[in-house]
Amino acid sequence: MQYWLMKSEPDEASIDHLASATGQILPWTGVRNYQARNFMRDAMTIGDLAFFYHSGCKEPGIAGICEVCSEPYPDDTQFDAESPYFDPKSSREAPRWLLRDVRFVSRTAYLTLTELRSHPELATMRLLARGNRLSITPVTADEWAFISRLLAEKA
DNA sequence: GCCAACGTTGGC
DNA sequence: GCCAACGTTGGC
């Protein structure tokens, strides 16, 4: 059992999209970075929890919690020439990009990036590391517990 | 296998 | 819209 933080642009897929999806499940589509793919393919386990983080928006921050709910499988968008995530170098025989489904767990109080940065306890969080661009990052049990406490206080 | 050029991410 | 930081590509 591990913890994660998964970034999504709310225009594309927000916590509200996840909450209103069929079965409250969405495929974590569009990851085109090998490290993030490897996390999904190799490191995640069904039942892992993740903070659902809104990025690329006015106020980036944690908006909710979701749960890994499938084994890894090929991301269909890599085969779709119409998709912005199309990868001409991938094939159905040897798919490059694997994803997992995530299930809605809860909305949380909105915890902004600025606030996350303000807590020295979180200074070593992968998300906050200088130059970090990874869309999926591991969260330690301590970080998870600390942030959960912050969220509970704000609720 | 190096590395310059290019593309992307994502906060500001 | 800018740009710093990073990842990927491809020529050599």
Side-chain angles (χ1 to χ4, degrees):
Chain A
M1 163 78 187
Q2 280 189 269
Y3 298 105
W4 305 94
L5 183 142
M6 301 172 77
K7 293 182 190 172
S8 180
E9 298 189 11
D11 291 347
E12 295 254 325
S14 69
I15 191 72
D16 290 332
H17 288 124
L18 182 60
S20 57
T22 308
Q24 299 192 307
I25 289 174
L26 286 176
W28 202 260
T29 193
V31 168
R32 295 295 178 268
N33 168 283
Y34 288 105
Q35 238 184 310
R37 178 206 66 182
N38 292 349
F39 284 143
M40 286 201 282
R41 187 187 62 185
D42 308 326
M44 283 182 175
T45 309
I46 290 179
D48 281 0
L49 293 175
F51 290 125
F52 192 115
Y53 177 95
H54 288 177
S55 71
C57 53
K58 283 215 177 79
E59 269 281 48
I62 292 171
I65 294 173
C66 61
E67 173 190 10
V68 175
C69 71
S70 82
E71 296 296 341
Y73 66 95
D75 180 345
D76 260 335
T77 60
Q78 73 196 297
F79 309 124
D80 177 4
E82 304 299 307
S83 166
Y85 301 122
F86 177 61
D87 182 351
K89 291 180 180 163
S90 187
S91 68
R92 291 194 183 270
E93 299 70 45
R96 225 181 235 204
W97 305 111
L98 303 185
L99 55 68
R100 297 217 185 207
D101 291 340
V102 300
R103 181 187 294 122
F104 176 80
V105 172
S106 63
R107 288 187 184 76
T108 61
Y110 199 72
L111 188 53
T112 65
L113 177 61
T114 310
E115 182 167 354
L116 288 169
R117 284 198 196 286
S118 75
H119 294 284
E121 292 88 342
L122 300 176
T124 56
M125 243 189 124
R126 188 79 174 269
L127 170 76
L128 307 180
R130 174 189 159 81
N132 171 62
R133 282 186 350 192
L134 263 186
S135 62
I136 299 176
T137 48
V139 172
T140 68
D142 283 349
E143 291 160 356
W144 185 273
F146 185 82
I147 293 172
S148 296
R149 243 174 286 132
L150 292 180
L151 292 172
E153 282 165 20
K154 289 177 80 100

